[in-house]
Amino acid sequence: MKVGITCYPTYGGSGIVATELGLELATRGHEVHFITYANPIRLDPGIPRIHYHEVEVSTYPLFQYPPYCLALASRMGEVAECYNLDLLHVHYAIPHSIAALLAQQMLASTRRLPFITTLHGTDITLVGADRSYFPITKFSIEQSDGVTSISEYLRRETVEVFGVSNEIRVIQNFVNCELYFPDDAKAGAAAYAPQGEKLLIHLSNFRPVKRVLDCIRILAEVRKSVPAHLLMVGDGPDRGPAEHLARALKVDRHVSFLGKQNHVERLIPLAHVLLMPSDLESFGLVALEAMACGVVPVATRVGGVPELIADGENGYLEAVGDIAAQSARVVALLTNEDLHYRMRKAGRWDAAERFCTDKIIPLYEKYYEDVLNG
Ligand code: GMT
């Protein structure tokens, strides 16, 4: 198949899923055309059957807000026509889904161009639910030739919030288990924890929904019983407040803020425990990546996370903001070798058996066929 993929190319779960999906499809022989405003972060150029088409958004003094959606729709139409694409697959509804609808209509007199929208979370729960975007988000879901969501939770939420009646197929997030795998020796950890401290890790876009300050509070609590060091990977609005809190709680020497990192698969396996104290996660891709690397997630019982983490089996789930409970789980994992061993093995097994690329990518291929034949 010839597939056009559009996503946000920056750091974020939806862009990562879209990019890795494109790479996997290309590996399986499909021709993949990324249509985005910048090269997606995890996309190395020069891979066979992967093409990249940049969307240029011209500015003009009249435009206080340059019309990105229109530039994207034009580019989608051009690429679809020029490369004879079979379908468009857009990740994150706003504004990609509407741009795909416009591209489809532009070509309607000459050819059929179905488009699939994959919902990732905040496009439904935060942005899409906002009054200013609600009607257009609902419309774009209804007009899509196919809709998928990355968890059963998000499917239910979409139906409830938008009252849409079209089928939404759940295709959960996936991980490349050959790229993300355990490093039991953890030799590289010494660079961050020279005294042999246990390593905790958090990765996100540091937006308020991620509750990054809770990570600092958990570290301070854990350090009362176990020497531990925290790696904070990513950047965003709450990085400054988190750095400030680390100083205030006198744990700043025990936290490394590493900023945005391109090869998280090299960092995650160094850790013992992943902290994911989010207010909401529609899936929690980073917890899956951690599990694949034999790193045990301590997370919150929100959104689609329970579809991935079985509490007490392959990780822990606690209430949002309950620092004492999350810290106690971390301490238990860091002080009980057998418990840590059992849970990290279960996590790796679940990642490989339920969420590995070879289990999930065929579901997308099948869905493409269904939509093309539908
Ligand atoms: O979590 C974010 O803020 C980024 C966001 C995105 O759309 O890029 O992530 C969402 O999509 C991920 C990939 O499907 C999911 O694993 C995340 O749980 C989801 N985030 C939220 O629902 C808050």
Side-chain angles (χ1 to χ4, degrees), residues 8 11-17 92 118-123 125-126 150 153-154 173 205 207 209-210 278 280-286 305:
Y8 284 108
Y11 291 78
S14 57
I16 290 165
V17 170
Y92 207 92
T118 288
L119 308 172
H120 282 270
T122 50
D123 47 352
T125 56
L126 290 179
I150 49 86
Y153 155 80
L154 189 59
N173 283 171
N205 51 28
R207 298 210 181 108
V209 70
K210 303 296 177 183
S278 306
L280 183 61
E281 288 294 341
S282 298
F283 182 86
L285 178 63
V286 73
V305 180

Coordinates of all heavy atoms in Angstrom, one line a residue, residues 8 11-17 92 118-123 125-126 150 153-154 173 205 207 209-210 278 280-286 305, ligand 1:
Y8 N 2.1 15.3 14.6 CA 2.9 16.3 15.1 C 4.3 15.7 15.2 O 4.5 14.7 15.8 CB 2.5 16.8 16.5 CG 1.2 17.7 16.4 CD1 0.0 17.2 16.7 CD2 1.4 19.0 15.8 CE1 -1.1 18.1 16.6 CE2 0.3 19.8 15.7 CZ -1.0 19.3 16.1 OH -2.1 20.1 15.9
Y11 N 8.2 16.2 20.1 CA 8.2 15.2 21.1 C 6.8 15.0 21.6 O 6.2 16.0 22.0 CB 9.1 15.7 22.3 CG 10.6 15.7 21.9 CD1 11.1 16.7 21.1 CD2 11.4 14.6 22.3 CE1 12.4 16.7 20.8 CE2 12.7 14.6 21.9 CZ 13.2 15.7 21.1 OH 14.6 15.7 20.8
G12 N 6.3 13.8 21.6 CA 5.0 13.6 22.1 C 4.6 12.2 21.6 O 5.0 11.7 20.6
G13 N 3.8 11.5 22.4 CA 3.4 10.2 22.2 C 2.8 9.9 20.8 O 3.1 8.9 20.1
S14 N 1.9 10.8 20.4 CA 1.2 10.6 19.1 C 2.2 10.6 17.9 O 2.1 9.8 17.0 CB 0.1 11.6 18.9 OG 0.6 12.9 18.9
G15 N 3.2 11.5 18.0 CA 4.2 11.6 16.9 C 5.1 10.4 16.9 O 5.5 9.9 15.8
I16 N 5.3 9.9 18.1 CA 6.2 8.7 18.2 C 5.5 7.5 17.6 O 6.1 6.7 16.8 CB 6.6 8.5 19.7 CG1 7.6 9.6 20.1 CG2 7.2 7.1 19.9 CD1 7.8 9.7 21.6
V17 N 4.2 7.3 18.0 CA 3.5 6.2 17.5 C 3.4 6.3 16.0 O 3.6 5.3 15.2 CB 2.1 6.1 18.1 CG1 1.2 5.1 17.4 CG2 2.2 5.8 19.6
Y92 N -3.8 12.3 15.7 CA -4.2 13.5 16.5 C -5.2 14.3 15.7 O -4.9 14.8 14.6 CB -3.0 14.4 16.9 CG -3.2 15.1 18.2 CD1 -2.8 14.6 19.4 CD2 -3.9 16.4 18.2 CE1 -3.0 15.3 20.6 CE2 -4.1 17.1 19.3 CZ -3.6 16.6 20.5 OH -3.8 17.3 21.7
T118 N -6.5 8.6 13.8 CA -6.2 7.9 15.1 C -6.2 8.9 16.2 O -5.5 9.9 16.2 CB -4.8 7.2 15.0 OG1 -4.9 6.0 14.1 CG2 -4.4 6.7 16.4
L119 N -7.0 8.6 17.2 CA -7.2 9.5 18.3 C -6.2 9.1 19.4 O -6.0 7.9 19.7 CB -8.6 9.4 18.9 CG -9.7 9.6 17.9 CD1 -11.1 9.2 18.5 CD2 -9.7 11.0 17.3
H120 N -5.5 10.0 20.0 CA -4.4 9.7 20.9 C -4.7 10.1 22.4 O -4.0 9.6 23.3 CB -3.1 10.3 20.5 CG -2.5 9.6 19.4 ND1 -1.6 8.5 19.6 CD2 -2.6 9.6 18.0 CE1 -1.2 8.0 18.4 NE2 -1.8 8.7 17.4
G121 N -5.6 11.0 22.6 CA -5.8 11.4 24.0 C -6.2 12.8 24.2 O -7.4 13.1 24.2
T122 N -5.2 13.7 24.3 CA -5.6 15.1 24.6 C -6.4 15.7 23.4 O -7.1 16.7 23.6 CB -4.3 15.9 24.9 OG1 -3.4 15.7 23.8 CG2 -3.7 15.5 26.2
D123 N -6.3 15.1 22.2 CA -7.1 15.6 21.1 C -8.6 15.4 21.4 O -9.4 16.1 20.8 CB -6.7 15.0 19.7 CG -6.6 13.5 19.8 OD1 -6.6 12.9 20.9 OD2 -6.4 12.9 18.7
T125 N -9.7 14.5 25.1 CA -10.0 14.8 26.5 C -9.7 16.3 26.8 O -10.4 16.8 27.7 CB -9.1 13.9 27.4 OG1 -7.7 14.1 27.0 CG2 -9.5 12.4 27.2
L126 N -8.8 16.9 26.2 CA -8.5 18.3 26.5 C -8.9 19.3 25.4 O -9.8 20.0 25.5 CB -7.0 18.5 26.9 CG -6.5 17.9 28.2 CD1 -5.0 18.1 28.3 CD2 -7.3 18.5 29.4
I150 N -6.3 4.6 20.7 CA -5.2 3.8 21.3 C -5.5 3.1 22.6 O -4.6 2.4 23.1 CB -3.9 4.7 21.4 CG1 -4.2 6.0 22.1 CG2 -3.3 5.0 20.0 CD1 -4.1 6.0 23.6
Y153 N -10.4 2.8 26.8 CA -10.8 4.0 27.6 C -11.1 5.1 26.6 O -12.1 5.8 26.7 CB -9.7 4.3 28.6 CG -9.8 5.8 29.0 CD1 -10.7 6.3 29.9 CD2 -8.9 6.7 28.3 CE1 -10.8 7.6 30.2 CE2 -9.0 8.1 28.6 CZ -9.9 8.5 29.6 OH -10.0 9.9 29.9
L154 N -10.2 5.4 25.7 CA -10.3 6.6 24.8 C -11.5 6.4 23.9 O -12.2 7.3 23.5 CB -9.0 6.8 24.1 CG -9.0 8.1 23.3 CD1 -9.2 9.3 24.2 CD2 -7.6 8.3 22.5
N173 N -1.4 1.0 21.6 CA 0.0 1.4 21.3 C 0.9 0.2 21.3 O 0.6 -0.8 21.9 CB 0.5 2.4 22.4 CG 0.0 3.8 22.2 OD1 0.2 4.7 23.0 ND2 -0.7 4.1 21.0
N205 N 6.6 15.4 28.3 CA 6.7 16.7 27.8 C 6.6 17.8 28.8 O 6.4 19.0 28.5 CB 5.7 17.0 26.6 CG 4.3 16.6 27.1 OD1 4.0 16.6 28.3 ND2 3.4 16.1 26.2
R207 N 4.3 18.8 30.7 CA 3.1 19.6 30.8 C 2.4 19.3 32.1 O 2.6 18.3 32.7 CB 2.2 19.3 29.6 CG 2.8 19.6 28.3 CD 1.9 20.0 27.2 NE 2.6 20.3 25.9 CZ 2.6 19.5 24.9 NH1 1.8 18.4 24.9 NH2 3.3 19.8 23.8
V209 N -0.4 18.1 32.9 CA -1.0 16.8 33.0 C -0.1 15.7 33.5 O -0.5 14.7 34.1 CB -1.7 16.5 31.7 CG1 -0.7 16.2 30.6 CG2 -2.7 15.4 31.8
K210 N 1.2 15.9 33.3 CA 2.2 14.9 33.7 C 2.6 14.9 35.2 O 3.3 14.0 35.7 CB 3.5 15.1 32.8 CG 3.2 15.0 31.4 CD 2.7 13.6 30.9 CE 2.4 13.6 29.4 NZ 1.9 12.3 29.0
S278 N 0.9 10.9 36.2 CA 0.0 11.7 35.5 C -1.4 11.9 36.0 O -1.9 11.0 36.6 CB -0.1 11.2 34.0 OG 1.1 11.0 33.5
L280 N -3.7 12.3 33.9 CA -4.5 11.5 32.9 C -3.5 10.9 31.8 O -2.6 11.6 31.4 CB -5.5 12.3 32.2 CG -6.4 11.6 31.2 CD1 -7.2 10.5 31.8 CD2 -7.4 12.6 30.5
E281 N -3.7 9.7 31.4 CA -3.0 9.1 30.3 C -4.0 8.3 29.6 O -4.7 7.4 30.2 CB -1.8 8.2 30.7 CG -0.6 8.9 31.3 CD 0.1 9.7 30.3 OE1 0.0 9.6 29.1 OE2 0.9 10.6 30.7
S282 N -4.1 8.5 28.3 CA -5.1 7.6 27.5 C -4.5 6.2 27.3 O -5.3 5.3 27.1 CB -5.4 8.3 26.2 OG -6.0 9.5 26.5
F283 N -3.2 6.1 27.3 CA -2.6 4.8 27.3 C -1.3 4.8 28.2 O -1.3 4.0 29.1 CB -2.1 4.5 25.8 CG -1.5 3.1 25.7 CD1 -2.3 2.0 25.5 CD2 -0.1 2.9 25.8 CE1 -1.7 0.7 25.4 CE2 0.4 1.7 25.7 CZ -0.4 0.6 25.5
G284 N -0.4 5.7 27.9 CA 0.8 5.7 28.7 C 2.0 5.0 28.0 O 2.5 4.1 28.5
L285 N 2.3 5.5 26.8 CA 3.3 4.8 25.9 C 4.6 4.6 26.7 O 5.2 3.5 26.5 CB 3.5 5.6 24.6 CG 4.5 5.0 23.7 CD1 4.1 3.7 23.1 CD2 4.7 6.0 22.5
V286 N 5.0 5.6 27.4 CA 6.3 5.5 28.1 C 6.3 4.4 29.1 O 7.4 3.7 29.3 CB 6.7 6.9 28.7 CG1 5.9 7.2 29.9 CG2 8.2 6.9 29.0
V305 N -4.5 3.6 31.4 CA -3.3 2.9 32.0 C -3.6 1.5 32.6 O -2.8 0.6 32.4 CB -2.7 3.9 33.1 CG1 -1.4 3.2 33.7 CG2 -2.3 5.2 32.5
Ligands
GMT1 O1 0.9 12.8 26.7 C1 1.0 13.8 26.0 O2 0.8 15.0 26.4 C2 1.3 13.7 24.5 C3 0.2 13.0 23.8 C4 0.2 13.1 22.3 O3 -0.8 13.1 21.7 O4 1.3 13.2 21.7 O5 0.1 11.6 24.3 C5 -1.1 10.9 24.1 O6 -0.8 9.9 23.1 C6 0.1 8.9 23.5 C7 0.4 8.0 22.3 O7 -0.8 7.4 21.9 C8 -0.5 8.1 24.7 O8 0.3 7.1 25.1 C9 -0.6 9.1 25.9 O9 -1.2 8.5 27.0 C10 -1.5 10.3 25.4 N1 -1.5 11.3 26.5 C11 -2.6 11.6 27.2 O10 -3.7 11.1 27.1 C12 -2.4 12.7 28.2

